[in-house]
Amino acid sequence: MDGTLSLLSWGDAGWSDDLFWGIVTTLKVSVSAYLIALVFGAVCAAGKQSSWRAARIIAGVYTTVVRALPELLVILLLYFSIASGIERLVKGFGLAGDNFQVSPFWAAVVALAFVSGAFMAEVLRAAYLAVPLGQIEAGLALGMHRGLILVRIVAPQMIRHAIPGMGNLWLEMTKESAIISVLGAFNDLLYVGYRAAAGTRQYIFFYGITAVLFLMITAVSVWAISRIERRFSRGYR
């Protein structure tokens, strides 16, 4: 048992430092992808509520296609198409030399965000529809312009309704970030756990450690989400 635990020592003799940086990479990917997914979701939700028919069609096709296909398939398609497409475009316009390469990290982050953005759009759209229409009409009757109505009336109530769904999407994001391990270009937590298990042949031990670390990320996230939800639900039952 002592020999197995020694594999968790810090430095060249163990894997603790690799697992630590794996957690950091997983959190970096998750946070970056979540913020970009929030932008994708907000734009798509606005498109689905737009009076412009083309915007509704584009947003509807985006959410339908992304939610219908396996997430791994979409991420693989986007990862390789984004990287190669941007590289050809930049080189074609002479903006960079032949050695230019798109950062694999950001290509993976954008691909992951693109997938999660479709689910984020539905969360935000549902939160918007939960705001009573009469309150928006009352704001218009008082002479408030739509931007002020959004900031003063709609957004505060949207946040309260959206937090549970957005919290669930964050938990999903921390798990979906493990999908990028199949790309083999990142030392995320799952990939480090795989390398440690394969290198030491202690499969149950290192996969168990990886599971515990993911559980710790989830436990901290659930605690933080509950605090945020309680904060924005003050004054409501």
Side-chain angles (χ1 to χ4, degrees):
M1 186 64 181
D2 292 338
T4 303
L5 291 177
S6 66
L7 296 174
L8 292 178
S9 59
W10 198 276
D12 296 336
W15 288 89
S16 287
D17 52 336
D18 297 275
L19 290 170
F20 171 77
W21 290 113
I23 293 174
V24 172
T25 300
T26 292
L27 292 177
K28 284 172 60 178
V29 170
S30 300
V31 172
S32 302
Y34 188 82
L35 293 176
I36 298 175
L38 187 58
V39 175
F40 280 139
V43 172
C44 183
K48 298 192 81 166
Q49 295 301 119
S50 174
S51 57
W52 188 28
R53 185 168 179 269
R56 296 198 305 271
I57 292 175
I58 293 172
V61 170
Y62 165 57
T63 55
T64 300
V65 170
V66 170
R67 290 187 297 167
L69 297 177
E71 294 173 356
L72 177 59
L73 174 61
V74 177
I75 289 174
L76 288 174
L77 288 172
L78 288 174
Y79 175 77
F80 291 106
S81 63
I82 288 173
S84 60
I86 293 178
E87 288 173 5
R88 284 197 298 267
L89 187 64
V90 171
K91 293 176 183 177
F93 281 101
L95 300 176
D98 294 335
N99 295 327
F100 172 78
Q101 287 185 333
V102 173
S103 168
F105 174 84
W106 286 110
V109 164
V110 172
L112 189 60
F114 186 84
V115 172
S116 298
F119 298 91
M120 183 71 75
E122 294 302 321
V123 170
L124 295 178
R125 188 174 73 92
Y128 175 80
L129 293 176
V131 178
L133 182 60
Q135 296 188 18
I136 300 175
E137 293 174 343
L140 292 172
L142 290 172
M144 300 173 66
H145 57 80
R146 290 194 174 274
L148 187 59
I149 291 174
L150 177 63
V151 174
R152 293 285 185 85
I153 299 175
V154 177
Q157 298 184 74
M158 274 188 65
I159 294 175
R160 182 172 65 87
H161 292 295
I163 284 175
M166 293 176 66
N168 286 333
L169 285 177
W170 164 252
L171 296 178
E172 286 294 324
M173 184 71 75
T174 58
K175 292 185 293 184
E176 288 173 3
S177 64
I179 294 177
I180 67 173
S181 63
V182 303
L183 302 174
F186 311 95
N187 286 324
D188 64 289
L189 180 55
L190 182 59
Y191 186 66
V192 171
Y194 162 75
R195 284 175 46 221
T200 62
R201 297 187 181 276
Q202 297 287 341
Y203 297 102
I204 296 178
F205 178 73
F206 276 107
Y207 283 138
I209 292 293
T210 303
V212 170
L213 293 175
F214 270 111
L215 183 60
M216 289 173 57
I217 294 174
T218 299
V220 173
S221 298
V222 168
W223 174 82
I225 292 167
S226 64
R227 294 293 298 269
I228 295 172
E229 188 173 358
R230 193 178 310 122
R231 170 79 176 179
F232 282 93
S233 296
R234 290 179 304 172
Y236 298 91
R237 287 187 176 180

